[in-house]
Amino acid sequence: MSDYSCETKSCIACNVQNCVYHTKDNACSAGKIQVGNGSANRAEDTCCDTFKAK
């Protein structure tokens, strides 16, 4: 993940139940997220690089 720091918190919806950051109310509990694939041309080409399997 990059060293980018954030000043605000936002609610990130997530339905990936096998991720350690997934909460029971379908949100992401990670302090920050990194979205990957810098060469994406559409949403389907992106991915969550913060994902960690349970």
Side-chain angles (χ1 to χ4, degrees):
M1 269 182 15
S2 75
D3 291 331
Y4 181 78
S5 63
C6 301
E7 299 277 330
T8 62
K9 288 202 170 225
S10 34
C11 178
I12 306 298
C14 177
N15 61 1
V16 182
Q17 296 181 8
N18 64 330
C19 180
V20 298
Y21 299 115
H22 180 264
T23 66
K24 64 181 179 180
D25 58 346
N26 291 325
C28 178
S29 65
K32 63 182 178 180
I33 64 167
Q34 178 70 38
V35 177
N37 193 355
S39 62
N41 291 311
R42 55 195 180 138
E44 293 83 11
D45 296 334
T46 62
C47 59
C48 179
D49 288 341
T50 307
F51 172 81
K52 288 185 185 176
K54 286 185 181 180

